[in-house]
Amino acid sequence: SQPASKVRARLANGTIKRKPLKGKPKISEKYNRIVPIIDKQLFNNLVRLYKIQKAKFEKRVYGADPKNYVLFEDLTHSETMVDLRAAYSKTKYVLKSYHCCRHTRCTELVGKTRDFVLARYWLGHARQETTLRYTHIYQQSARTVRKKNQKIELII
């Protein structure tokens, strides 16, 4: 699940109003998304954030419901954008949104593996059609290459 609004203010009883993930009908383990972590530094940062929330949970700071302990509780949109800008500054790419990064990663994954099913599970999509929307750049590039190869074959 995710916070119901961008303002993640807690209610008086310490709970956070939540809603299902985008495109999911309800909050349920059936509709979880798996996000593979392949960067050691990111993994370590996530472990650090988890330990902070675990310690709060053990003290029951926000009650006995684990859903009230949010991994990214202290992060703000502006802080994450500063980090994203810093990461982009180390590359040759133009700054894009996190969502664009998701599309790019999916396109790169399909380009390297040619495995649309892997990309589907990586992104947490229930339907392959959803994943195909993410890989439109790869598909367009593949069509262009095929067209060029066909022309080259005709010339030769």
Side-chain angles (χ1 to χ4, degrees):
S1 65
Q2 60 188 346
S5 68
K6 287 186 178 188
V7 178
R8 286 180 274 172
R10 291 185 178 276
L11 301 175
N13 64 359
T15 62
I16 297 175
K17 190 169 168 100
R18 305 192 70 74
K19 66 180 182 178
L21 294 171
K22 181 180 174 187
K24 304 298 179 183
K26 62 182 183 176
I27 298 173
S28 165
E29 285 188 26
K30 177 181 176 183
Y31 300 112
N32 280 346
R33 288 197 175 143
I34 296 170
V35 180
I37 306 298
I38 58 175
D39 179 79
K40 184 177 180 178
Q41 182 180 354
L42 174 58
F43 179 81
N44 290 336
N45 284 337
L46 291 172
V47 169
R48 182 181 54 78
L49 292 173
Y50 171 79
K51 287 179 178 179
I52 291 169
Q53 293 304 317
K54 183 179 177 193
K56 287 181 181 181
F57 176 71
E58 288 170 353
K59 293 177 183 176
R60 300 295 194 257
V61 173
Y62 304 119
D65 188 349
K67 293 177 185 169
N68 293 328
Y69 299 86
V70 183
L71 194 61
F72 303 110
E73 180 171 27
D74 298 324
L75 295 180
T76 65
H77 178 71
S78 60
E79 287 172 335
T80 59
M81 285 306 296
V82 167
D83 291 342
L84 187 62
R85 279 188 190 93
Y88 265 101
S89 72
K90 298 174 186 174
T91 71
K92 61 182 178 179
Y93 300 108
V94 176
L95 177 65
K96 300 286 182 186
S97 70
Y98 282 103
H99 192 75
C100 286
C101 291
R102 185 172 160 84
H103 280 267
T104 300
R105 182 64 187 124
C106 182
T107 300
E108 289 175 350
L109 181 63
V110 169
K112 288 179 181 177
T113 65
R114 309 291 191 270
D115 191 338
F116 286 87
V117 175
L118 174 63
R120 173 185 165 196
Y121 287 109
W122 184 295
L123 294 172
H125 294 154
R127 298 176 37 232
Q128 191 65 36
E129 294 79 16
T130 307
T131 305
L132 294 178
R133 286 195 306 243
Y134 274 74
T135 60
H136 63 90
I137 295 171
Y138 169 77
Q139 293 171 5
Q140 180 181 357
S141 299
R143 283 192 298 273
T144 302
V145 167
R146 280 194 297 273
K147 285 179 185 178
K148 287 182 178 180
N149 284 342
Q150 288 171 354
K151 289 179 183 177
I152 292 171
E153 290 173 9
L154 292 173
I155 293 171
I156 295 174

